[in-house]
Amino acid sequence: MNTNERSSLKGIALSIYSILTHEYFFYAIVAAISIGVYYARAAVSIGTGAMACIALFTVVQRGQFQRLLNSKHIIALMSVFLVFLLSGINSANTQEWLSRLGDNLPFLAVPAGVWAFGVLGRKQIAISIGIFLVITSLSSVFVIGDYLLHAEE
């Protein structure tokens, strides 16, 4: 592969990365996870999988892995899973533990995925909370409406 092709591929990769780390993509992930909490576990998996991909794309860039390791907040959030990993050593049912580890592993990438978006300002946090609250409110309205329609049964 010559230098021209390499720089072309690098440009494509950087443009894809800029799309993935755009704040609207972050809001889409928040919406997918929020919807998944109430309706479809697959949406939670899709959201956390997208965060895992963004984390991976960020970490493989030059110098980013060292920045991630220097971020004490992210390391603290990710170290919560250390307790889960250590619990497997004392587990009598390692097959069940391995199954649960596979289910929970994508959540390990969520802090790193959020880190990839950079510092979230008040506006981004407020919009994220707003998305969650709107989805939660709509869900409760539909549940109450369904209950009222079938209350006499």
Side-chain angles (χ1 to χ4, degrees), residues 31-45 132 134-144 146:
I33 292 173
S34 299
I35 290 169
V37 166
Y38 298 109
Y39 296 107
R41 289 285 299 163
V44 174
S45 297
F132 179 75
V134 165
I135 290 172
T136 302
S137 299
L138 288 174
S139 298
S140 64
V141 166
F142 287 126
V143 168
I144 290 171
D146 186 54

Side-chain angles (χ1 to χ4, degrees), residues 80-99:
V80 170
F81 285 92
L82 185 63
V83 175
F84 185 76
L85 289 174
L86 292 176
S87 71
I89 295 171
N90 196 27
S91 177
N93 188 354
T94 56
Q95 197 66 19
E96 174 68 21
W97 177 78
L98 284 173
S99 172

Side-chain angles (χ1 to χ4, degrees), residues 55-89:
L56 180 65
F57 289 146
T58 301
V59 169
V60 298
Q61 292 181 17
R62 182 175 296 149
Q64 294 295 330
F65 186 69
Q66 191 61 38
R67 276 189 57 221
L68 179 68
L69 291 178
N70 290 337
S71 177
K72 293 178 179 108
H73 299 90
I74 301 302
I75 297 300
L77 285 171
M78 294 170 77
S79 66
V80 170
F81 285 92
L82 185 63
V83 175
F84 185 76
L85 289 174
L86 292 176
S87 71
I89 295 171

Side-chain angles (χ1 to χ4, degrees), residues 92-115:
N93 188 354
T94 56
Q95 197 66 19
E96 174 68 21
W97 177 78
L98 284 173
S99 172
R100 295 190 84 196
L101 177 67
D103 293 342
N104 293 325
L105 204 53
F107 290 107
L108 182 60
V110 170
V114 172
W115 172 79

Side-chain angles (χ1 to χ4, degrees), residues 146-153:
D146 186 54
Y147 176 76
L148 291 175
L149 287 174
H150 300 97
E152 296 174 359
E153 291 179 11

